Every structure is written in C-alpha cells, then in structure tokens.
Amino acid sequence: MKRIGMLTSGGDCQGLNSTLRGVAKALYQEYGDDIEIYGFRDGYKGLIEGKYRLMTKRDFSGILTIGGTILGTSRQPFKNMKIPDENGVTKCDKMVQTYKDMQLDCLVILGGNGTTKSANMLREEGCNVISLPKTIDNDLWGTDMTFGYQTAMDIATDVIDKIHSTATSHSRVFIVEIMGHGAGWLTLTSGIAGGADIILIPEIPYSLEDVCRTLEERRRSGHSFSIIAVAEGAISQEEAAMSKKEFKASRAAMTEPSIGFRLAHELNEACDQEVRVVNPGHFQRGGGPDAFDRVLTTRLGVGAARLIKHQQYGNMVALRNNEIVAVPLSEVAGKLKMVPVDDQMVETARAIGISFGDGIQTKKDKKKKKDKKKDKDKKD
Ligand code: F6P
C-alpha cells in the first residue's frame, strides 16, 4: 500500500485544486485501491500539528474549475522552521515526526518560493518529497512558468482593458497596481496584453521625471489618457541607489498604502494631469483556473504521479521548453526568477513604444546612451 501526503502552502492561487486532482487521479489510475492519499489541513501547519484526513476519490471530483484550495493553506515562514519551542522541538522536527508516524512514502507539496525552501529542508531531513510550482508571481526558478500565473494575467489584463474606457471618457491617467511580490512578470505581461502605456517593474527602477515626460509627450501627441501598469514591488531610481536599511526606513515612512498610491501622489504634484489608482489586489488570485492553467496543472500533476511511481523523490515538477521535467529541489530552493532587464518581452514592449520609466525606449536608445557614456569617460 502506498501512502501519500498532500498539502498546499503559502498564498493561494488558481489551479491548486486542479493540480491536486491531476496528482490524485493519476495515482488512483496507477495504483487503484492500493493507495491512500492524506490531505493535510492548511499547509505545513497541518503537518506540524498532525491535522490531516484520508481523502477519497470523490474529494478530487468536480474540483477542476474551483478556485482556492480544498485543503486550506497558511503561511509558515521558512526562517521559523528551525526555531525550537519551549520544549526544544522545532516545527521541522514536528513535521518529520508526523511524516514518520504516518509512514508516508512521499509528501506532495504545492507551493511557491518559501514553501519550496521548506520542502527542500524536509528532503534534507530524510523525507521523500515532490513539489509543484505554484504562484501568480511566476518567480520560481527552475520552471518556465508557475501555475496560477496565466489566470492572474487574464484577470489583471481584464482590469487594464476595462479601465481604458473610463480613462478615455475622463481624459485621466490611471495607475493599475498589479501583484507579483518582488518580481515584475505579472505586470510586464498583463501590461503588454492590456496595452498599458507605461510599465513599471521592480527589475527596472523608474524615474518620476521620465514617467512625467512620457505622460506629457502622450498628451502633446493627442492622447488624452494614459495607463500605467505598476508592479506592487516597483521601486524608483532613488530607492534603487539606497542601502537595504535606508530602503526599509524610507518605505516604513511612506504614508500612502502602496506604491500605486504613492506614484499617484507624486504625479499629482509633478505634472498637470488627473490621476486615479485601481488596485485589484487579491482579486488577481481569485476564482478558478483558465484553460491554460487547467491543462498545465493536469500535466504537472501527472508528472508528480509519474515521479512517485519511479520513486524519483526530491524533485520539483517543472515546465521547461513545453516539456514536463523533474528539477532537483536542491537546485531550486532559495532561488528567485526575476525579469532579466534585457528579456525579449521587455524589448518587445520597448519596440512598440511602451515606456519603463527609465528613459530608454529601444535597444538603439540603450546603445546610444552607452556610447555617449563611453565618449564622456574617454574625454574625462
Ligand atoms: O505570492 C502571491 C502574492 O499574491 C503576491 O503577489 C503578494 O505580494 C502576496 O502574495 C500577498 O500576500 P497575502 O495574501 O499574504 O496578502
């Protein structure tokens, strides 16, 4: 009898249920009645506290299109995993104990960056683990795409689409703040898909002056409105030059609730245009997965079941070059995938005139700027 544990950890996203379903259906198909699947309640919390239940085939029926997670989730920061409690026992110890007590053959863990680090820790502690890459942020290293990302992109794009009409009617500047934690993937792609005029992402620090200049240029050329897609993690060029400590202090002193509102405040002062902010927030994580994510999660789920069958533990199931592959957790853990500043997607956006608020429009501009700097250095 195979005994498999499953949990979903960290912030939820679309496609958690369809992934669980993919894994479970493929396992039942392979093992018939010779398998027991246990679902842990609220992510690692359930593993720590021994809160789980034996799932049945029916639990995995009718959940392909359902948002959230049937198992519940919680955030259990990696940095706290090895801190002993009053009895000298760590969360990590408790999780390993539950794993051993239940005589599990493998733990299937659905999560993002922090979750994957903890999954790797459990692997190092001798547990058989397989992880699956979840997050709307698409910032997990080792996979071309995470699940949830495409659906969140659809939602963010829809917000930008809908803002266009009211922005046009009122000749306003609209700032749409998009999730993504410290990475700009979601903002970059939904910004392109939604036809944003300016895209601000953490990887490319912006200058307020340049954002204003772009807005003014648009107005002068007859465009009465502008749309700015700003990542929640976007930073200004001044902030980029700060030390970590200075940056923390400056953000702590920020009076606006988020970067989108701060930018609106700054633009209201710096240029003569009416600015509004839209923050779709957790809406971007809501509802069921789109068709792309349903297919991706089914493929990833089946990939996890295959790894269990072949006892290839200690891996994350990933999408690479449109193939489902196994990537060692030891390689993945702790690595973030940020948008490369010269990513083809960034260049594509620049090529159609989208501004990143950094004063660079195209590769040609970049080269010109570099050459100018070289000339200046030579003269100096
Ligand atoms: O990681 C997914 C995400 O939605 C990020 O984009 C965002 O920064 C964060 O989670 C929000 O976290 P919470 O749901 O805890 O507010």
PDB file of all heavy atoms in Angstrom, residues 10-13 75 112-113 134-139 178-183 186 232-233 281-282 284-285, ligand 1:
ATOM      1  N   GLY A  10       1.394  28.464   1.565  1.00  0.00           N
ATOM      2  CA  GLY A  10       1.650  29.843   1.114  1.00  0.00           C
ATOM      3  C   GLY A  10       0.380  30.483   0.562  1.00  0.00           C
ATOM      4  O   GLY A  10      -0.724  29.947   0.724  1.00  0.00           O
ATOM      5  N   GLY A  11       0.543  31.625  -0.110  1.00  0.00           N
ATOM      6  CA  GLY A  11      -0.612  32.317  -0.691  1.00  0.00           C
ATOM      7  C   GLY A  11      -1.283  31.428  -1.728  1.00  0.00           C
ATOM      8  O   GLY A  11      -0.605  30.739  -2.476  1.00  0.00           O
ATOM      9  N   ASP A  12      -2.611  31.455  -1.764  1.00  0.00           N
ATOM     10  CA  ASP A  12      -3.280  30.568  -2.732  1.00  0.00           C
ATOM     11  C   ASP A  12      -3.175  31.151  -4.144  1.00  0.00           C
ATOM     12  O   ASP A  12      -2.669  32.258  -4.336  1.00  0.00           O
ATOM     13  CB  ASP A  12      -4.745  30.325  -2.334  1.00  0.00           C
ATOM     14  CG  ASP A  12      -5.628  31.544  -2.574  1.00  0.00           C
ATOM     15  OD1 ASP A  12      -5.093  32.642  -2.798  1.00  0.00           O
ATOM     16  OD2 ASP A  12      -6.860  31.391  -2.530  1.00  0.00           O
ATOM     17  N   CYS A  13      -3.600  30.377  -5.101  1.00  0.00           N
ATOM     18  CA  CYS A  13      -3.695  30.873  -6.479  1.00  0.00           C
ATOM     19  C   CYS A  13      -4.624  29.940  -7.232  1.00  0.00           C
ATOM     20  O   CYS A  13      -5.029  28.901  -6.706  1.00  0.00           O
ATOM     21  CB  CYS A  13      -2.319  30.932  -7.153  1.00  0.00           C
ATOM     22  SG  CYS A  13      -1.636  29.343  -7.599  1.00  0.00           S
ATOM     23  N   ARG A  75       0.556  30.588   5.727  1.00  0.00           N
ATOM     24  CA  ARG A  75       1.966  30.938   5.523  1.00  0.00           C
ATOM     25  C   ARG A  75       2.757  30.494   6.755  1.00  0.00           C
ATOM     26  O   ARG A  75       2.445  30.887   7.876  1.00  0.00           O
ATOM     27  CB  ARG A  75       2.113  32.440   5.315  1.00  0.00           C
ATOM     28  CG  ARG A  75       1.522  32.933   3.992  1.00  0.00           C
ATOM     29  CD  ARG A  75       2.044  34.313   3.661  1.00  0.00           C
ATOM     30  NE  ARG A  75       1.377  34.918   2.514  1.00  0.00           N
ATOM     31  CZ  ARG A  75       1.718  34.695   1.248  1.00  0.00           C
ATOM     32  NH1 ARG A  75       2.721  33.884   0.969  1.00  0.00           N
ATOM     33  NH2 ARG A  75       1.069  35.295   0.265  1.00  0.00           N
ATOM     34  N   GLY A 112       5.057  28.020  -3.465  1.00  0.00           N
ATOM     35  CA  GLY A 112       5.970  28.948  -4.128  1.00  0.00           C
ATOM     36  C   GLY A 112       7.367  28.890  -3.514  1.00  0.00           C
ATOM     37  O   GLY A 112       7.799  27.831  -3.029  1.00  0.00           O
ATOM     38  N   ASN A 113       8.020  30.050  -3.489  1.00  0.00           N
ATOM     39  CA  ASN A 113       9.422  30.084  -3.063  1.00  0.00           C
ATOM     40  C   ASN A 113       9.703  29.599  -1.649  1.00  0.00           C
ATOM     41  O   ASN A 113      10.541  28.727  -1.434  1.00  0.00           O
ATOM     42  CB  ASN A 113       9.945  31.501  -3.207  1.00  0.00           C
ATOM     43  CG  ASN A 113      10.529  31.707  -4.589  1.00  0.00           C
ATOM     44  OD1 ASN A 113      11.455  31.009  -4.966  1.00  0.00           O
ATOM     45  ND2 ASN A 113       9.961  32.602  -5.350  1.00  0.00           N
ATOM     46  N   LYS A 134       3.736  26.618  -7.657  1.00  0.00           N
ATOM     47  CA  LYS A 134       2.535  27.456  -7.590  1.00  0.00           C
ATOM     48  C   LYS A 134       2.892  28.909  -7.334  1.00  0.00           C
ATOM     49  O   LYS A 134       3.738  29.165  -6.489  1.00  0.00           O
ATOM     50  CB  LYS A 134       1.663  26.938  -6.432  1.00  0.00           C
ATOM     51  CG  LYS A 134       0.681  27.922  -5.883  1.00  0.00           C
ATOM     52  CD  LYS A 134       0.880  28.292  -4.409  1.00  0.00           C
ATOM     53  CE  LYS A 134       1.975  29.259  -4.111  1.00  0.00           C
ATOM     54  NZ  LYS A 134       1.868  29.939  -2.811  1.00  0.00           N
ATOM     55  N   THR A 135       2.329  29.835  -8.032  1.00  0.00           N
ATOM     56  CA  THR A 135       2.300  31.253  -7.663  1.00  0.00           C
ATOM     57  C   THR A 135       1.906  32.128  -8.851  1.00  0.00           C
ATOM     58  O   THR A 135       2.355  31.887  -9.973  1.00  0.00           O
ATOM     59  CB  THR A 135       3.635  31.804  -7.093  1.00  0.00           C
ATOM     60  OG1 THR A 135       3.522  33.217  -6.967  1.00  0.00           O
ATOM     61  CG2 THR A 135       4.843  31.525  -7.943  1.00  0.00           C
ATOM     62  N   ILE A 136       1.086  33.128  -8.562  1.00  0.00           N
ATOM     63  CA  ILE A 136       0.723  34.074  -9.628  1.00  0.00           C
ATOM     64  C   ILE A 136       1.933  34.940  -9.991  1.00  0.00           C
ATOM     65  O   ILE A 136       1.932  35.596 -11.011  1.00  0.00           O
ATOM     66  CB  ILE A 136      -0.465  34.982  -9.221  1.00  0.00           C
ATOM     67  CG1 ILE A 136      -0.106  35.876  -8.032  1.00  0.00           C
ATOM     68  CG2 ILE A 136      -1.709  34.171  -8.940  1.00  0.00           C
ATOM     69  CD1 ILE A 136      -1.064  37.038  -7.829  1.00  0.00           C
ATOM     70  N   ASP A 137       2.971  34.925  -9.122  1.00  0.00           N
ATOM     71  CA  ASP A 137       4.119  35.808  -9.340  1.00  0.00           C
ATOM     72  C   ASP A 137       5.072  35.296 -10.434  1.00  0.00           C
ATOM     73  O   ASP A 137       5.893  36.064 -10.938  1.00  0.00           O
ATOM     74  CB  ASP A 137       4.919  35.978  -8.045  1.00  0.00           C
ATOM     75  CG  ASP A 137       4.061  36.475  -6.898  1.00  0.00           C
ATOM     76  OD1 ASP A 137       2.999  37.068  -7.175  1.00  0.00           O
ATOM     77  OD2 ASP A 137       4.431  36.264  -5.726  1.00  0.00           O
ATOM     78  N   ASN A 138       4.991  34.012 -10.748  1.00  0.00           N
ATOM     79  CA  ASN A 138       5.860  33.380 -11.758  1.00  0.00           C
ATOM     80  C   ASN A 138       7.350  33.563 -11.443  1.00  0.00           C
ATOM     81  O   ASN A 138       8.177  33.621 -12.346  1.00  0.00           O
ATOM     82  CB  ASN A 138       5.564  33.947 -13.161  1.00  0.00           C
ATOM     83  CG  ASN A 138       6.129  33.076 -14.267  1.00  0.00           C
ATOM     84  OD1 ASN A 138       6.154  31.846 -14.150  1.00  0.00           O
ATOM     85  ND2 ASN A 138       6.604  33.671 -15.334  1.00  0.00           N
ATOM     86  N   ASP A 139       7.690  33.655 -10.169  1.00  0.00           N
ATOM     87  CA  ASP A 139       9.079  33.981  -9.817  1.00  0.00           C
ATOM     88  C   ASP A 139       9.871  32.786  -9.272  1.00  0.00           C
ATOM     89  O   ASP A 139      10.882  32.956  -8.606  1.00  0.00           O
ATOM     90  CB  ASP A 139       9.105  35.129  -8.786  1.00  0.00           C
ATOM     91  CG  ASP A 139       8.398  34.756  -7.491  1.00  0.00           C
ATOM     92  OD1 ASP A 139       7.745  33.694  -7.444  1.00  0.00           O
ATOM     93  OD2 ASP A 139       8.498  35.523  -6.519  1.00  0.00           O
ATOM     94  N   ILE A 178      -0.413  46.076  -9.824  1.00  0.00           N
ATOM     95  CA  ILE A 178      -0.510  44.630 -10.075  1.00  0.00           C
ATOM     96  C   ILE A 178       0.400  43.864  -9.116  1.00  0.00           C
ATOM     97  O   ILE A 178       1.508  44.296  -8.799  1.00  0.00           O
ATOM     98  CB  ILE A 178      -0.171  44.356 -11.567  1.00  0.00           C
ATOM     99  CG1 ILE A 178      -1.271  45.020 -12.427  1.00  0.00           C
ATOM    100  CG2 ILE A 178      -0.082  42.863 -11.864  1.00  0.00           C
ATOM    101  CD1 ILE A 178      -0.956  45.127 -13.877  1.00  0.00           C
ATOM    102  N   MET A 179      -0.107  42.724  -8.640  1.00  0.00           N
ATOM    103  CA  MET A 179       0.662  41.907  -7.686  1.00  0.00           C
ATOM    104  C   MET A 179       1.913  41.305  -8.343  1.00  0.00           C
ATOM    105  O   MET A 179       2.122  41.470  -9.541  1.00  0.00           O
ATOM    106  CB  MET A 179      -0.221  40.794  -7.131  1.00  0.00           C
ATOM    107  CG  MET A 179      -1.067  41.187  -5.951  1.00  0.00           C
ATOM    108  SD  MET A 179      -1.869  39.724  -5.262  1.00  0.00           S
ATOM    109  CE  MET A 179      -2.511  40.409  -3.744  1.00  0.00           C
ATOM    110  N   GLY A 180       2.681  40.595  -7.565  1.00  0.00           N
ATOM    111  CA  GLY A 180       3.869  39.956  -8.119  1.00  0.00           C
ATOM    112  C   GLY A 180       5.002  39.889  -7.109  1.00  0.00           C
ATOM    113  O   GLY A 180       6.097  39.460  -7.425  1.00  0.00           O
ATOM    114  N   HIS A 181       4.711  40.370  -5.883  1.00  0.00           N
ATOM    115  CA  HIS A 181       5.724  40.405  -4.825  1.00  0.00           C
ATOM    116  C   HIS A 181       6.911  41.201  -5.321  1.00  0.00           C
ATOM    117  O   HIS A 181       6.721  42.328  -5.752  1.00  0.00           O
ATOM    118  CB  HIS A 181       6.076  38.974  -4.415  1.00  0.00           C
ATOM    119  CG  HIS A 181       6.621  38.901  -3.024  1.00  0.00           C
ATOM    120  ND1 HIS A 181       7.754  38.208  -2.709  1.00  0.00           N
ATOM    121  CD2 HIS A 181       6.202  39.481  -1.882  1.00  0.00           C
ATOM    122  CE1 HIS A 181       8.003  38.349  -1.421  1.00  0.00           C
ATOM    123  NE2 HIS A 181       7.073  39.114  -0.888  1.00  0.00           N
ATOM    124  N   GLY A 182       8.119  40.642  -5.334  1.00  0.00           N
ATOM    125  CA  GLY A 182       9.283  41.410  -5.767  1.00  0.00           C
ATOM    126  C   GLY A 182       9.587  41.274  -7.246  1.00  0.00           C
ATOM    127  O   GLY A 182      10.586  41.806  -7.729  1.00  0.00           O
ATOM    128  N   ALA A 183       8.750  40.557  -7.985  1.00  0.00           N
ATOM    129  CA  ALA A 183       9.051  40.304  -9.401  1.00  0.00           C
ATOM    130  C   ALA A 183       8.036  40.990 -10.306  1.00  0.00           C
ATOM    131  O   ALA A 183       6.892  41.205  -9.922  1.00  0.00           O
ATOM    132  CB  ALA A 183       9.060  38.805  -9.680  1.00  0.00           C
ATOM    133  N   LEU A 186       4.098  39.471 -13.789  1.00  0.00           N
ATOM    134  CA  LEU A 186       2.653  39.648 -13.961  1.00  0.00           C
ATOM    135  C   LEU A 186       2.333  41.037 -14.519  1.00  0.00           C
ATOM    136  O   LEU A 186       1.462  41.193 -15.381  1.00  0.00           O
ATOM    137  CB  LEU A 186       1.961  39.419 -12.610  1.00  0.00           C
ATOM    138  CG  LEU A 186       0.455  39.261 -12.610  1.00  0.00           C
ATOM    139  CD1 LEU A 186       0.007  38.167 -13.559  1.00  0.00           C
ATOM    140  CD2 LEU A 186      -0.047  38.957 -11.196  1.00  0.00           C
ATOM    141  N   GLU A 232       3.475  45.929  -7.704  1.00  0.00           N
ATOM    142  CA  GLU A 232       3.448  46.290  -6.276  1.00  0.00           C
ATOM    143  C   GLU A 232       4.868  46.430  -5.708  1.00  0.00           C
ATOM    144  O   GLU A 232       5.075  47.132  -4.720  1.00  0.00           O
ATOM    145  CB  GLU A 232       2.666  45.253  -5.467  1.00  0.00           C
ATOM    146  CG  GLU A 232       3.289  43.862  -5.495  1.00  0.00           C
ATOM    147  CD  GLU A 232       2.597  42.872  -4.559  1.00  0.00           C
ATOM    148  OE1 GLU A 232       1.912  43.308  -3.625  1.00  0.00           O
ATOM    149  OE2 GLU A 232       2.763  41.652  -4.785  1.00  0.00           O
ATOM    150  N   GLY A 233       5.839  45.789  -6.364  1.00  0.00           N
ATOM    151  CA  GLY A 233       7.215  45.837  -5.863  1.00  0.00           C
ATOM    152  C   GLY A 233       8.085  46.850  -6.593  1.00  0.00           C
ATOM    153  O   GLY A 233       9.311  46.869  -6.401  1.00  0.00           O
ATOM    154  N   GLY A 281      -5.716  43.940  -6.312  1.00  0.00           N
ATOM    155  CA  GLY A 281      -5.284  43.136  -5.158  1.00  0.00           C
ATOM    156  C   GLY A 281      -5.543  41.638  -5.293  1.00  0.00           C
ATOM    157  O   GLY A 281      -5.246  41.035  -6.327  1.00  0.00           O
ATOM    158  N   HIS A 282      -6.163  41.064  -4.251  1.00  0.00           N
ATOM    159  CA  HIS A 282      -6.348  39.604  -4.210  1.00  0.00           C
ATOM    160  C   HIS A 282      -7.360  39.095  -5.233  1.00  0.00           C
ATOM    161  O   HIS A 282      -7.469  37.884  -5.431  1.00  0.00           O
ATOM    162  CB  HIS A 282      -6.750  39.171  -2.797  1.00  0.00           C
ATOM    163  CG  HIS A 282      -5.624  39.300  -1.829  1.00  0.00           C
ATOM    164  ND1 HIS A 282      -5.257  40.503  -1.289  1.00  0.00           N
ATOM    165  CD2 HIS A 282      -4.759  38.375  -1.336  1.00  0.00           C
ATOM    166  CE1 HIS A 282      -4.219  40.318  -0.492  1.00  0.00           C
ATOM    167  NE2 HIS A 282      -3.891  39.047  -0.499  1.00  0.00           N
ATOM    168  N   GLN A 284      -6.858  39.191  -8.106  1.00  0.00           N
ATOM    169  CA  GLN A 284      -5.988  38.535  -9.096  1.00  0.00           C
ATOM    170  C   GLN A 284      -5.720  37.074  -8.762  1.00  0.00           C
ATOM    171  O   GLN A 284      -5.253  36.312  -9.595  1.00  0.00           O
ATOM    172  CB  GLN A 284      -4.652  39.299  -9.200  1.00  0.00           C
ATOM    173  CG  GLN A 284      -4.811  40.684  -9.784  1.00  0.00           C
ATOM    174  CD  GLN A 284      -3.625  41.588  -9.488  1.00  0.00           C
ATOM    175  OE1 GLN A 284      -2.730  41.721 -10.294  1.00  0.00           O
ATOM    176  NE2 GLN A 284      -3.615  42.217  -8.322  1.00  0.00           N
ATOM    177  N   ARG A 285      -5.972  36.711  -7.514  1.00  0.00           N
ATOM    178  CA  ARG A 285      -5.754  35.301  -7.118  1.00  0.00           C
ATOM    179  C   ARG A 285      -7.060  34.527  -7.032  1.00  0.00           C
ATOM    180  O   ARG A 285      -7.073  33.342  -6.688  1.00  0.00           O
ATOM    181  CB  ARG A 285      -5.065  35.259  -5.742  1.00  0.00           C
ATOM    182  CG  ARG A 285      -3.612  35.510  -5.844  1.00  0.00           C
ATOM    183  CD  ARG A 285      -2.792  35.324  -4.610  1.00  0.00           C
ATOM    184  NE  ARG A 285      -3.380  34.943  -3.390  1.00  0.00           N
ATOM    185  CZ  ARG A 285      -2.897  35.297  -2.189  1.00  0.00           C
ATOM    186  NH1 ARG A 285      -1.832  36.069  -2.120  1.00  0.00           N
ATOM    187  NH2 ARG A 285      -3.442  34.881  -1.082  1.00  0.00           N
TER     188      ARG A 285
HETATM  189  O1  F6P B   1       2.764  35.411  -3.768  1.00  0.00           O
HETATM  190  C1  F6P B   1       1.481  35.708  -4.175  1.00  0.00           C
HETATM  191  C2  F6P B   1       1.043  37.054  -3.666  1.00  0.00           C
HETATM  192  O2  F6P B   1      -0.264  37.318  -4.126  1.00  0.00           O
HETATM  193  C3  F6P B   1       1.977  38.208  -4.030  1.00  0.00           C
HETATM  194  O3  F6P B   1       1.795  38.633  -5.358  1.00  0.00           O
HETATM  195  C4  F6P B   1       1.606  39.210  -2.993  1.00  0.00           C
HETATM  196  O4  F6P B   1       2.699  40.083  -2.741  1.00  0.00           O
HETATM  197  C5  F6P B   1       1.336  38.370  -1.774  1.00  0.00           C
HETATM  198  O5  F6P B   1       1.042  37.062  -2.262  1.00  0.00           O
HETATM  199  C6  F6P B   1       0.182  38.835  -0.927  1.00  0.00           C
HETATM  200  O6  F6P B   1       0.164  38.057   0.205  1.00  0.00           O
HETATM  201  P1  F6P B   1      -1.061  37.914   1.221  1.00  0.00           P
HETATM  202  O7  F6P B   1      -2.090  37.055   0.556  1.00  0.00           O
HETATM  203  O8  F6P B   1      -0.466  37.245   2.405  1.00  0.00           O
HETATM  204  O9  F6P B   1      -1.568  39.279   1.469  1.00  0.00           O
END
